[in-house]
Amino acid sequence: MGKYQIIATAAMGLEALVAKEVRALGYDCEVENGRVTYLGDETAIARSNLWLRTADRIKIKVGEFKAFTFDELFEKTKALPWEQYLPEDAEFPVIGKSVKSKLFSVSDCQAIVKKAVVERLKKHYKRNSWFEENGALYRIEIALLKDVATITIDASGSGLHKRGYRIDQGEAPLKETMAAALVMLTNWKADKPFMDPFCGSGTIPIEAAMIGQNIAPGFNREFVSEAWKWIPEKVWDDARMEAEDLANYDQPLDITGSDIDHRMVKIAQGNAIEAGFGDLIDFKQMQVRDISTSKEYGVIVGNPPYGERLGEKKAVEHMYKEMGQAFSKLDTWSIYIMTSNEDFEQFYGKPATKKRKLFNGFIRTDLYQYWGKKPPRQQNI
Ligand SMILES: C[S@@+](CC[C@H](N)C(=O)[O-])C[C@H]1O[C@@H](n2cnc3c(N)ncnc32)[C@H](O)[C@@H]1O
């Protein structure tokens, strides 16, 4: 088994959560802006892809160096051991980005990196002609930040948020990675009730169900690195077998999703069936103001409309008020609402126990947290 520098990329604000997940998989890691880095073997690449709920994608770092000129970029890229990663038939497109760097022309950087990799491989595979590039995909990225070039190969393929269950969606669906992050931030456990009163396409309840039954989020999809020859098929088979063993399909769940829009309820039900939770999540059409329950010590996670569209603000703020009134009766429940409305607490009618800044795509939001009463301790007699 080899040792690779693995990067799990993370949305702004989710780095610590990704790091927690990486550590839970058993890998020591370092947290940086937008990424978590760690050393691991082929198994770590497979397990990271299969298990990380909040990371965007898994990349392999081939090299990192300072580059102020195109010559430097070319020579230092050519000096990297590309033949260890790319077979003779590899398809290797190069994408790029540049932030606060002298080499700001991304298209030139991409072309130079491509040329350097080709030169290196030509020498290694003793070729004079072009490579056909008709084999597995190794998407290379050159990312320049303050003149430091990081060169990686993408090991995920489609982003990790694509779990494969979302066959339909509403207007403003949450990324699956963010939905998982919201659930994880509540510390909800599967023996407690869980509700999403703005379920839309059902992303939050479905992610909660996967967390509740310890189902690996990537179990039902493929990853581009499954076609890489240097990761033996057995590594993937073993990682999938481990995931199957660790899944707890018998764990009972009490998860409800509701939405004012009956069309969304249908979509959410369809997605839940696709995810294998058709009977396990209870979806229903309901306005948030009508929510009431006699259950106790549950968790509510909601991603309501933010009211950012013209003419929508007043109605949304009125709805926040009704929500506050309905939830005021649920004093044992912990309630987590994500919105960009800075006056949310005022409309909801109560200051949050805690707020956490989060980015929903490019929208800056806060997760308003209202912690419920703790269950009484069992008396030891
Ligand atoms: C931002 S979307 C939620 C998206 C969802 N998290 C997903 O991943 O698809 C907000 C949802 O709130 C619903 N909604 C709006 N007003 C509501 C109300 N008063 N009660 C319940 N649901 C409401 C909308 O129909 C919409 O589906």
Side-chain angles (χ1 to χ4, degrees):
M1 287 256 167
K3 269 271 173 266
Y4 306 92
Q5 296 194 58
I6 302 176
I7 299 178
T9 61
M12 215 183 337
L14 295 190
E15 295 92 341
L17 217 48
V18 173
K20 197 172 160 191
E21 288 199 272
V22 169
R23 289 191 189 109
L25 284 179
Y27 311 112
D28 247 355
C29 60
E30 277 176 39
V31 187
E32 293 163 49
N33 269 344
R35 64 186 200 177
V36 171
T37 55
Y38 48 108
L39 274 181
D41 56 13
E42 291 82 353
T43 297
I45 298 171
R47 294 178 75 229
S48 302
N49 270 309
L50 277 168
W51 278 103
L52 294 183
R53 297 180 197 279
T54 57
D56 280 338
R57 46 177 75 244
I58 303 302
K59 297 176 179 178
I60 313 300
K61 183 163 49 165
V62 183
E64 194 161 64
F65 49 79
K66 286 203 167 140
F68 297 96
T69 66
F70 288 135
D71 274 352
E72 226 175 332
L73 179 62
F74 181 81
E75 290 304 333
K76 289 181 176 173
T77 303
K78 205 175 97 177
L80 297 171
W82 288 100
E83 61 283 355
Q84 287 177 18
Y85 301 94
L86 273 51
E88 197 170 355
D89 63 354
E91 181 189 351
F92 53 105
V94 181
I95 58 164
K97 59 185 177 196
S98 175
V99 178
K100 294 184 187 155
S101 299
K102 286 213 168 56
L103 299 179
F104 60 83
S105 164
V106 172
S107 56
D108 284 332
C109 291
Q110 287 171 204
I112 282 162
V113 167
K114 179 85 187 189
K115 198 164 168 227
V117 179
V118 167
E119 288 278 297
R120 172 92 189 192
L121 293 181
K122 267 187 170 171
K123 193 154 178 226
H124 180 82
Y125 292 116
K126 302 186 175 48
R127 283 178 73 119
N128 296 318
S129 57
W130 282 98
F131 291 98
E132 284 85 17
E133 297 200 35
N134 53 7
L137 178 64
Y138 297 77
R139 198 178 60 160
I140 297 170
E141 184 184 64
I142 158 76
L144 282 146
L145 175 64
K146 293 184 185 159
D147 302 310
V148 174
T150 306
I151 304 199
T152 56
I153 305 175
D154 171 36
S156 295
S158 356
L160 294 182
H161 68 285
K162 297 232 164 126
R163 324 281 209 214
Y165 62 74
R166 203 147 77 182
I167 46 177
D168 203 353
Q169 60 190 45
E171 237 178 59
L174 209 54
K175 248 184 157 180
E176 294 82 340
T177 39
M178 177 54 79
L182 294 182
V183 178
M184 288 170 65
L185 285 171
T186 71
N187 289 319
W188 168 76
K189 296 283 173 295
D191 59 346
K192 298 273 184 300
F194 184 97
M195 258 200 257
D196 174 2
F198 305 97
C199 71
S201 38
T203 323
I204 298 173
I206 294 171
E207 290 296 323
M210 284 207 280
I211 290 168
Q213 293 198 335
N214 201 33
I215 292 170
F219 194 73
N220 285 319
R221 57 159 280 177
E222 289 176 349
F223 304 95
V224 78
S225 46
E226 286 181 68
W228 296 356
K229 290 196 185 80
W230 51 269
I231 307 190
E233 233 175 279
K234 185 172 176 341
V235 165
W236 286 100
D237 291 346
D238 289 351
R240 284 215 157 78
M241 197 113 79
E242 180 196 38
E244 185 72 38
D245 285 348
L246 291 173
N248 184 3
Y249 299 113
D250 297 330
Q251 170 65 49
L253 297 171
D254 181 353
I255 299 180
T256 313
S258 51
D259 199 288
I260 193 171
D261 186 342
H262 64 91
R263 290 167 306 179
M264 292 316 307
V265 174
K266 272 247 155 329
I267 289 176
Q269 277 164 340
N271 291 339
I273 290 170
E274 191 66 27
F277 300 117
D279 303 328
L280 283 172
I281 306 175
D282 183 22
F283 287 107
K284 54 189 171 206
Q285 191 265 329
M286 192 190 276
Q287 297 208 33
V288 68
R289 67 173 182 215
D290 296 331
I291 286 182
S292 72
T293 176
S294 56
K295 292 176 191 164
E296 291 189 304
Y297 305 108
V299 169
I300 289 178
V301 178
N303 172 221
Y306 303 161
E308 292 197 332
R309 259 183 309 192
L310 218 61
E312 212 186 43
K313 200 165 189 276
K314 278 264 161 311
V316 160
E317 288 172 350
H318 179 69
M319 184 265 283
Y320 289 168
K321 197 171 158 199
E322 292 180 330
M323 168 165 47
Q325 284 163 358
F327 291 175
S328 66
K329 293 161 203 136
L330 311 180
D331 63 338
T332 64
W333 285 66
S334 289
I335 295 158
Y336 297 76
I337 303 293
M338 182 192 202
T339 175
S340 64
N341 189 311
E342 287 175 11
D343 300 320
F344 175 78
E345 290 158 294
Q346 189 192 316
F347 298 108
Y348 186 81
K350 200 171 145 186
T353 320
K354 198 179 163 189
K355 287 198 285 183
R356 185 184 171 125
K357 184 169 78 170
L358 285 176
F359 283 87
N360 181 2
F362 291 110
I363 307 177
R364 185 204 180 284
T365 71
D366 279 293
L367 182 65
Y368 292 90
Q369 314 182 19
Y370 296 90
W371 299 348
K373 279 188 195 157
K374 289 219 167 88
R377 288 209 178 166
Q378 299 266 315
Q379 298 277 330
N380 287 330
I381 305 169

